[in-house]
Amino acid sequence: MSLLLSVPDFISQQDNQDLFEEIRQPWIIPLEDPTGRSFGSRWGVNLRPGLDILIDDYTLQEDLTVEIGADVPDELAWLEMSFMLSGHNRSEGVQAHHSFFDAGWEEDTAEELALWQAGDRVFKFDFHIEKTLFQTLVGEQIQTFPQSLQQILQSSQPISEQFWQVYTITAPMQSAIHQLLHCPYEGLTRWLYWESRITELIALGLDQISQSRSCSVPGLPVEDLDRIYYASDIMRQRYVDPPSLFELARLVGLNDRKLKEGFRQVFGTTVFGYLSQHRMETACQLLQQQQSVAAVAAAVHRI
């Protein structure tokens, strides 16, 4: 048995006036499982014309196919940045803790399929930005991009060229995503805050592209890389009462030397340096919610 979630294309099936009226109006499509064993939803919002966000969040006991309407306008070029925080998207071949940057001209196809595997906690955040808006953001920096990406951005007509790169989700990216998903604001301030975090993620992604840093880390096997990211998840979840270095190494299946060396390779800091950074970010968010300094200090435990 498998589950199916049909998602209409909320952008392309409306004219420009309707699209403008839908700006900053979130929508949600819940996953319906008659057995009640799988649950979750797809959530989205158009932040402005040419910029939208999607969040997939599912806990699955059966395989899930997300069927996406693709009635796109002719001659439309979009770019996507996607962050696989948990789970495995088999249709895109992207593992947890990796991101991809995709650019190309849309094709007028009947549907697009995303395949999620049973047993996964799927948590994926991505955004799509129209070519003209992207060009406005990056300006002359286009000249520093790979040739295939430049061709897509500079062409006024559809071309067959496509740009696709997969990278690890860096610590600064994790921080920006965490701040976005735990935004303390409401109303207009919330959406402007989200746009600022997306701009930050675009900058971080383009930095990776410019430096050609791929999803592999030299000298670090893929299975060890996944364990390093698993360790970072544990430290973020248990930041109030974190495990010792030896306990953390045991939990993720590495020896403490590999854990320390690998953590520095991936995140550019020590395990407990990473923990301190996360505590500081959490403290800043709590202070923004106007909690007292004493309450914040108690909440994050010995910053």
Side-chain angles (χ1 to χ4, degrees), residues 37-56:
R37 302 195 315 146
S38 298
F39 53 90
S41 64
R42 166 167 281 207
W43 183 95
V45 64
N46 299 326
L47 287 179
R48 63 163 66 185
L51 177 63
D52 69 76
I53 287 177
L54 290 176
I55 298 175
D56 286 291

Side-chain angles (χ1 to χ4, degrees), residues 3-291:
L3 302 170
L4 174 66
L5 182 69
S6 295
V7 182
D9 191 323
F10 284 84
I11 295 177
S12 63
Q13 292 180 356
Q14 303 183 51
D15 61 28
N16 290 338
Q17 180 62 33
D18 289 338
L19 174 60
F20 182 78
E21 292 174 353
E22 291 297 322
I23 295 302
R24 297 171 180 160
Q25 297 298 315
W27 53 265
I28 186 169
I29 300 178
L31 173 64
E32 296 183 4
D33 178 6
T35 70
R37 302 195 315 146
S38 298
F39 53 90
S41 64
R42 166 167 281 207
W43 183 95
V45 64
N46 299 326
L47 287 179
R48 63 163 66 185
L51 177 63
D52 69 76
I53 287 177
L54 290 176
I55 298 175
D56 286 291
D57 189 359
Y58 311 107
T59 299
L60 301 175
Q61 299 302 318
E62 306 287 348
D63 289 352
L64 172 65
T65 299
V66 178
E67 186 180 66
I68 306 166
D71 182 20
V72 299
D74 293 337
E75 302 183 359
L76 182 64
W78 283 79
L79 300 91
E80 176 181 6
M81 288 191 70
S82 179
F83 303 88
M84 195 70 205
L85 306 177
S86 176
H88 178 201
N89 187 332
R90 288 179 293 170
S91 59
E92 294 169 343
V94 180
Q95 300 280 354
H97 311 302
H98 293 98
S99 65
F100 70 76
F101 187 99
D102 181 24
W105 289 82
E106 295 281 7
E107 297 179 357
D108 187 10
T109 55
E111 63 183 22
E112 178 182 341
L113 299 179
L115 306 176
W116 306 110
Q117 190 167 346
D120 276 351
R121 160 71 197 287
V122 175
F123 193 25
K124 177 174 178 277
F125 162 77
D126 55 46
F127 59 86
H128 308 87
I129 182 168
E130 196 271 328
K131 185 185 76 165
T132 303
L133 177 57
F134 183 80
Q135 288 173 309
T136 302
L137 289 175
V138 302
E140 295 181 357
Q141 292 302 310
I142 287 176
Q143 304 302 323
T144 67
F145 300 158
Q147 190 63 37
S148 59
L149 182 54
Q150 289 187 46
Q151 290 176 351
I152 293 167
L153 295 173
Q154 294 172 345
S155 174
S156 60
Q157 299 294 326
I159 58 176
S160 59
E161 194 71 49
Q162 184 176 19
F163 181 82
W164 168 273
Q165 291 281 359
V166 180
Y167 302 97
T168 54
I169 299 177
T170 63
M173 284 180 172
Q174 286 185 339
S175 175
I177 294 169
H178 181 81
Q179 291 172 26
L180 187 152
L181 294 176
H182 297 84
C183 174
Y185 307 114
E186 298 295 336
L188 176 62
T189 305
R190 177 184 183 86
W191 305 127
L192 293 176
Y193 182 86
W194 276 35
E195 285 195 35
S196 70
R197 298 285 77 78
I198 288 176
T199 302
E200 181 180 356
L201 287 167
I202 290 173
L204 293 169
L206 293 178
D207 178 62
Q208 286 188 310
I209 289 172
S210 297
Q211 299 187 39
S212 299
R213 293 201 297 263
S214 70
C215 64
S216 63
V217 177
L220 193 64
V222 173
E223 58 270 20
D224 287 356
L225 181 62
D226 287 340
R227 291 187 176 102
I228 296 297
Y229 273 108
Y230 180 35
S232 73
D233 288 342
I234 292 173
M235 296 304 279
R236 293 176 76 90
Q237 294 165 6
R238 295 179 54 181
Y239 68 91
V240 173
D241 184 22
S244 68
L245 188 66
F246 291 104
E247 181 185 357
L248 182 63
R250 179 183 59 79
L251 288 171
V252 301
L254 290 172
N255 63 51
D256 62 307
R257 181 182 63 81
K258 277 191 174 183
L259 178 63
K260 290 188 291 185
E261 293 177 354
F263 221 89
R264 188 174 289 278
Q265 280 182 276
V266 174
F267 296 108
T269 186
T270 64
V271 173
F272 289 98
Y274 180 89
L275 174 65
S276 295
Q277 178 184 348
H278 178 61
R279 282 176 167 172
M280 290 299 294
E281 292 167 0
T282 303
C284 288
Q285 291 162 10
L286 294 174
L287 289 171
Q288 288 172 346
Q289 297 171 17
Q290 299 184 338
Q291 295 194 29

